[in-house]
Amino acid sequence: MSAWIRQGHRWFSILFTLTVIANFAVRPFGEAPDWLTYSPLPPLFLLLFSGLYMFALPYTAKGRMSKMGA
């Protein structure tokens, strides 16, 4: 499961980067449509949750290891 989340996090970051680039690419031609303006938000929230999971993973693994050793 952890490998899937790690791989998903990488793909979410690529998707987020592309949506931000698209926003900046459209700006010189006028105001961007709302759907394009807000398109970076879903990948950003997915990055937040997957990043928090990966951040907490070593701490929860330490807790599991200490319970096994006791």
Side-chain angles (χ1 to χ4, degrees):
M1 170 110 169
S2 179
W4 284 75
I5 292 177
R6 190 173 304 275
Q7 188 66 31
H9 188 79
R10 290 182 188 130
W11 283 106
F12 297 148
S13 67
I14 291 169
L15 182 61
F16 175 73
T17 303
L18 290 175
T19 56
V20 170
I21 289 171
N23 266 291
F24 280 103
V26 171
R27 295 292 169 173
F29 303 108
E31 189 63 30
D34 286 342
W35 66 269
L36 185 61
T37 301
Y38 297 114
S39 64
L41 291 179
L44 182 62
F45 285 119
L46 292 170
L47 280 169
L48 172 70
F49 294 127
S50 61
L52 287 173
Y53 172 81
M54 290 190 301
F55 178 78
L57 201 58
Y59 299 106
T60 58
K62 285 181 186 176
R64 281 183 271 158
M65 293 301 288
S66 65
K67 288 180 183 177
M68 287 181 182

